[in-house]
Amino acid sequence: MKLAVQLIDPTEIDVATDALLVGVYEDFGLSPAAAACDRACGGALTRALERKDASGRIGAVTRLLGLVGLHSSRVVLVGLGEKSRLDAANYLKVLAEAAKSLKVGPIRQVASHLATLPIKDRDAAWALSQHILQFSRHLYRYQATRPRKATEVGLDRLLVATMVASATAVQATAMALADGITLCRELGNLPPNICTPQYLADTARRLATELPRFTTEVLESADMEQLGMGALLGVARGSAHPPKLIVMKYQGAADGDAVPYVLVGKGITFDTGGISLKPGAAMDEMKYDMCGGAAVLGVLQAVAQMALPLNVIGVVPAVENMPDGAAYRPGDVLTAMSGQTIEVLNTDAEGRLILCDALSYAKRFKPRTMVDIATLTGACMVALGKHAHGLMTHQDKIADELLAAGAKIHDRAWRLPLWEDYYSALNTDFADLANIGGKHAGAITAACFLSRFVGDLNWAHLDIAGTAWDEGRKGGATGRPVALLVQWLQDRVV
Ligand code: BES
Ligand code: MN
Ligand code: ZN
């Protein structure tokens, strides 16, 4: 169920709704909106704080019921922590806890005054945008194969108070981004028997029917054979699901010929490892190995919905990596579209093999900048954990742009070196290069591999192995790095 959002005036404290959502500082007491609310209901908030029934501790949520004097008889009071420490990160924490507390229960509609709080180093437009994004994020529930039970209903309508002059535009942009993130998560969460290469292709085709200036083209095995995509086709050979190369074009620039930004996303719909089979534990999580591709669909949908004045092309090689009698094997030498030969030393290093042909193909669009996004290496997760995307590029300018976009929208990346010194790890006597390096710096040698197919084009690689999903049964796809990429593209509009 999609969250409906409506803007309201901050002076409208007494709206007819299921609950009011206001903040209280740990050291400074009630926020202005909370104070207004307190006055209207005869000091009930002050009394709750005095009795220690409520607290200003950051993220603490208290529900006050049966209040008299307000149209909505409920107030949800959320702790803001110390006033001087309410920065971007803490504000997001406050929103997250407030949203989570409303995920189930009788409150279907809330009027929130959290977007009017002053946030360190951020403006009111950012606060409004993040309010919408965080609520959409934390109220999302996967239900494609497990419909929501009647007992699991919760908030589905958010009224946000804001003083931002351009609030409607901010709202539309935030909702477009929120929807792009949700699309990415939904595709990631779908099981691999449903979210096949065909399913991803159909979803991309649907976007073309729903969005203006949007076209989708899908290349089939025969097309890829003609193009000589021996690396991608090598990986695909073990699967009963034929591979698809999805090409989405959003033509938003006033000048139709304006050079495009190109995004390429790894779309392995399930990664068993192939003949170099992965261990069984947590192998189910390899359904998320298409999250780079899903992010590309999410970004394309978001920028089209925003009507961003840029040309953006998304390329998603969608392939399943399976062991089979026809599967490719360690020792095989594949010839990529670029003509380079690749010795396969491990069939589990399949992402780079489908990406190298997709990158070679994408060069035809003469991109201004090309960014690939991939759940590429366990090594990246070892290096950076689950918080930062790994960023690798030769161009400092692109690195700075992407790092800044990530910091701004709080979807952060961290740069790893891509020095010439690392490239020799891919040397082999049997082909132009091997598909794995040694045991060191696995995230970097994977990027070195990709870079051999990009040449001197403006290019960056985002390894999202640690960030694309949260582990475990309660986890799920995060929708990252859709926000980073959309922010980066928004920042490219002059
Ligand atoms: N999809 C995996 C990477 C991965 C593993 C992402 C675990 C998230 C969690 C990728 O295809 C892979 O298997 N990479 C290998 C590369 C190795 C064989 C050089 C890896 O990281 O172990
Ligand atoms: Mn693999
Ligand atoms: Zn993989």
Side-chain angles (χ1 to χ4, degrees):
M1 178 70 149
K2 199 180 137 166
L3 181 72
V5 178
Q6 189 188 322
L7 303 171
I8 58 170
D9 192 286
T11 57
E12 273 183 70
I13 290 292
D14 195 19
V15 281
T17 179
D18 295 341
L20 302 180
L21 175 57
V22 292
V24 55
Y25 295 104
E26 197 164 7
D27 53 348
F28 246 81
L30 297 173
S31 63
C37 187
D38 193 40
R39 281 192 294 277
C41 62
L45 280 67
T46 306
R47 280 196 300 281
L49 286 163
E50 278 168 4
R51 289 191 311 252
K52 308 259 183 269
D53 279 334
S55 146
R57 193 168 39 80
I58 184 144
V61 178
T62 312
R63 222 177 254 205
L64 304 178
L65 308 173
L67 304 181
V68 182
L70 285 167
H71 269 96
S72 71
S73 61
R74 296 187 196 91
V75 168
V76 177
L77 193 58
V78 55
L80 305 172
E82 289 170 38
K83 191 170 185 191
S84 63
R85 293 179 61 183
L86 190 58
D87 57 7
N90 282 334
Y91 178 61
L92 299 187
K93 208 179 286 172
V94 167
L95 292 171
E97 293 310 320
K100 282 192 246 168
S101 81
L102 296 166
K103 198 159 180 171
V104 291
I107 300 176
R108 304 292 300 274
Q109 176 178 307
V110 76
S112 170
H113 291 267
L114 300 178
T116 55
L117 295 165
I119 315 299
K120 214 163 142 189
D121 300 328
R122 293 292 198 278
D123 61 16
W126 183 88
L128 172 61
S129 165
Q130 284 296 340
H131 196 316
I132 294 169
L133 284 166
Q134 292 300 315
F135 266 54
S136 164
R137 172 177 165 199
H138 291 285
L139 294 164
Y140 163 84
R141 191 191 299 266
Y142 170 80
Q143 26 184 356
T145 50
R146 184 198 174 281
R148 190 195 296 223
K149 298 184 190 130
T151 51
E152 293 173 338
V153 197
L155 192 77
D156 54 20
R157 190 170 186 84
L158 170 68
L159 314 181
V160 214
T162 180
M163 290 173 292
V164 176
S166 57
T168 328
V170 173
Q171 179 194 5
T173 304
M175 304 255 296
L177 176 53
D179 291 349
I181 292 171
T182 303
L183 172 64
C184 176
R185 294 175 76 181
E186 189 68 13
L187 291 171
N189 288 335
L190 281 170
N193 59 327
I194 292 177
C195 189
T196 58
Q198 178 73 53
Y199 187 92
L200 286 176
D202 290 344
T203 306
R205 285 203 189 91
R206 176 173 60 78
L207 295 184
T209 66
E210 289 173 359
L211 294 159
R213 298 163 169 248
F214 200 111
T215 53
T216 296
E217 188 191 348
V218 179
L219 277 67
E220 307 290 338
S221 297
D223 306 314
M224 294 186 253
E225 252 153 52
Q226 281 213 319
L227 288 160
M229 294 187 169
L232 188 160
L233 290 168
V235 178
R237 214 169 291 142
S239 172
H241 295 286
K244 309 279 170 184
L245 186 72
I246 304 164
V247 183
M248 291 162 287
K249 291 185 186 163
Y250 166 64
Q251 297 255 316
D255 171 7
D257 296 330
V259 278
Y261 291 93
V262 177
L263 305 175
V264 180
K266 172 177 172 182
I268 292 286
T269 59
F270 195 71
D271 182 11
T272 62
I275 297 298
S276 314
L277 196 63
K278 285 184 180 293
M283 200 204 269
D284 59 294
E285 291 186 11
M286 284 298 119
K287 72 173 182 178
Y288 296 115
D289 213 16
M290 33 54 71
C291 282
V296 173
L297 269 84
V299 172
L300 267 282
Q301 176 184 285
V303 297
Q305 212 167 297
M306 288 176 190
L308 222 58
L310 294 175
N311 290 340
V312 185
I313 298 178
V315 178
V316 179
V319 184
E320 189 184 43
N321 187 22
M322 296 287 277
D324 177 82
Y328 79 135
R329 29 180 128 49
D332 280 2
V333 174
L334 307 173
T335 303
M337 180 180 168
S338 68
Q340 292 175 93
T341 55
I342 304 163
E343 186 186 18
V344 178
L345 291 177
N346 190 320
T347 62
D348 199 10
E350 83 298 337
R352 62 198 78 182
L353 294 173
I354 66 164
L355 284 170
C356 71
D357 280 341
L359 290 165
S360 297
Y361 181 79
K363 277 178 151 185
R364 70 180 50 206
F365 303 120
K366 309 222 176 335
R368 178 187 283 261
T369 304
M370 180 151 74
V371 179
D372 79 75
I373 307 102
T375 48
L376 204 59
T377 65
C380 190
M381 190 164 27
V382 172
L384 296 173
K386 301 204 61 75
H387 302 292
H389 313 295
L391 167 64
M392 284 146 272
T393 175
H394 289 297
Q395 281 100 0
D396 295 346
K397 184 170 168 286
I398 300 172
D400 292 345
E401 289 172 6
L402 289 165
L403 292 172
K408 198 193 270 186
I409 198 81
H410 214 80
D411 181 8
R412 295 170 295 178
W414 195 257
R415 191 176 181 186
L416 299 172
L418 194 54
W419 300 326
E420 199 52 48
D421 312 58
Y422 290 102
Y423 280 75
S424 60
L426 300 171
N427 289 349
T428 163
D429 290 338
F430 298 100
D432 292 325
L433 71 173
N435 80 327
I436 55 171
K439 61 179 175 183
H440 300 304
I444 297 172
T445 54
C448 290
F449 180 96
L450 298 177
S451 137
R452 292 275 297 262
F453 296 84
V454 174
D456 51 14
L457 214 89
N458 291 333
W459 162 78
H461 161 62
L462 283 171
D463 193 328
I464 59 167
T467 50
W469 73 93
D470 288 325
E471 277 162 353
R473 308 300 327 164
K474 285 184 110 174
T478 58
R480 298 181 65 189
V482 172
L484 180 159
L485 291 165
V486 170
Q487 183 66 59
W488 174 68
L489 289 167
Q490 286 178 287
D491 292 345
R492 305 276 75 70
V493 177
V494 281

